Amino acid sequence: MPQSSGSKALTITSLVVRLLTLIFLLASLIVIATDSATMKIDFTEVKIRLKNVYSYRYMVSVAVIGLAYTFLQIPFAVHYACTGKRLGAHDGLLKFEFFGDKVISYLLATGVGAAFGATFDLKKNLEIRSKLDDFFNLAYVSAGLLLLGFLCSGVSSIISSLALSK
Amino acid sequence: MPQSSGSKALTITSLVVRLLTLIFLLASLIVIATDSATMKIDFTEVKIRLKNVYSYRYMVSVAVIGLAYTFLQIPFAVHYACTGKRLGAHDGLLKFEFFGDKVISYLLATGVGAAFGATFDLKKNLEIRSKLDDFFNLAYVSAGLLLLGFLCSGVSSIISSLALSK
């Protein structure tokens, strides 16, 4: 199948979920990058940032990887939406999209889990948590955006699975 | 396509990854269920169990859901491995497997993220952590087993995507 064609609605959905993934991941990164809290411990000001929480570092890593991959897929999604045909002189590109979508959406899913899991339990268990409430609340916003990005990426994955079957 | 047939290797792989998923999820559940630590705080013995860490509760929930779903799929995988044909008088069953595999493997991925993320950051940040080291180390083992279960489930998901395309 050198070129598979899809219905108009599917081609548009395909592009829209890619763009939404891009937007959500970017927003998630901006929120977590600007998230910080300052505390006074023994007369010293201590700044808590994303680098202090390893789950947030992981979250940023997967969001950046997801962003790069989705950015790469945009031109193909645009071509698909405009012409109704997938670029792919041979099967290679469809297979790259099929496996790429799977890997990226799984990575994002683990990132979502790590961000929510760590935030929830750190917030519950750190004794100084009252001072860190805003920090963790903003982390929730970022994790929520990553979740939306992951869901869009999951839809892309389902579409590319179906595309392989056409 | 009422019945799609696959190569012998694929049908066997399909069954093997289902069984492995089952085993890894069960092992993960057993490890986390038996994981506990006892600490003395102000003359009182305090027992830390999985119920005290919300990420572990979530991990157990997704592992149980994954276990139930995989258990349900075993008879179909056995039939597929024995006859080389998928049960599915109509498309319904193939589609259920297609979407079911996707949802379950995504759920497991978030569980893996939550378990590793929370364990890593709690271990780093709890001041009483030296007393909880064994507790968290065993949680890592459980999270690792869940990761293996998730990977097998991901392979199932890829196989069922390809099955839909046959």
Side-chain angles (χ1 to χ4, degrees), chain B residues 4-159:
Chain B
S4 63
S5 59
S7 69
K8 195 73 193 161
L10 192 71
T11 62
I12 299 293
T13 311
S14 186
L15 178 59
V16 168
V17 288
R18 290 276 184 222
L19 290 173
L20 284 176
T21 307
L22 212 64
I23 291 165
F24 287 132
L25 293 186
L26 205 60
S28 172
L29 278 172
I30 291 169
V31 170
I32 199 72
T34 56
D35 192 10
S36 68
T38 314
M39 289 190 307
K40 261 203 173 118
I41 298 173
D42 300 335
F43 304 102
T44 320
E45 285 219 329
V46 179
K47 197 156 193 182
I48 311 284
R49 299 180 61 82
L50 80 91
K51 69 172 178 154
N52 300 110
V53 183
Y54 287 83
S55 297
Y56 298 165
R57 287 191 193 189
Y58 178 72
M59 178 194 181
V60 166
S61 311
V62 298
V64 168
I65 294 168
L67 206 59
Y69 173 79
T70 310
F71 200 72
L72 199 75
Q73 288 286 353
I74 292 283
F76 301 109
V78 170
H79 181 272
Y80 185 41
C82 292
T83 65
K85 287 178 181 190
R86 284 188 179 268
L87 267 178
H90 39 81
D91 268 2
L93 213 63
L94 280 176
K95 271 188 186 148
F96 171 70
E97 199 184 341
F98 175 76
F99 286 107
D101 277 1
K102 284 219 153 31
V103 171
I104 294 299
S105 57
Y106 282 142
L107 264 183
L108 290 177
T110 58
V112 168
F116 274 108
T119 305
F120 201 85
D121 278 306
L122 285 176
K123 208 177 164 178
K124 285 258 171 221
N125 287 294
L126 283 187
E127 279 171 41
I128 42 165
R129 71 188 160 89
S130 63
K131 287 171 192 161
L132 291 174
D133 255 4
D134 288 346
F135 176 70
F136 285 134
N137 287 342
L138 217 51
Y140 268 138
V141 173
S142 179
L145 288 163
L146 191 66
L147 175 66
L148 292 172
F150 151 63
L151 290 175
C152 292
S153 160
V155 173
S156 286
S157 175
I158 287 172
I159 290 175

Side-chain angles (χ1 to χ4, degrees), chain A residues 54-55 102 105-106 113-114 117 121, chain B residues 54-55 102 105-106 113-114 117 121 165:
Chain A
Y54 286 83
S55 297
K102 283 219 151 35
S105 57
Y106 283 141
D121 278 307
Chain B
Y54 287 83
S55 297
K102 284 219 153 31
S105 57
Y106 282 142
D121 278 306
S165 75

Side-chain angles (χ1 to χ4, degrees), chain A residues 45-98:
Chain A
E45 285 217 330
V46 179
K47 197 158 194 181
I48 311 284
R49 298 181 60 82
L50 82 90
K51 70 171 178 155
N52 299 109
V53 183
Y54 286 83
S55 297
Y56 298 164
R57 287 191 193 189
Y58 178 72
M59 179 193 179
V60 166
S61 310
V62 299
V64 167
I65 294 169
L67 205 59
Y69 173 79
T70 311
F71 199 72
L72 198 75
Q73 288 286 355
I74 292 283
F76 300 108
V78 170
H79 181 271
Y80 184 41
C82 292
T83 65
K85 287 177 184 193
R86 285 188 178 268
L87 265 177
H90 40 79
D91 268 1
L93 214 64
L94 279 176
K95 274 192 183 143
F96 171 71
E97 200 184 341
F98 174 76

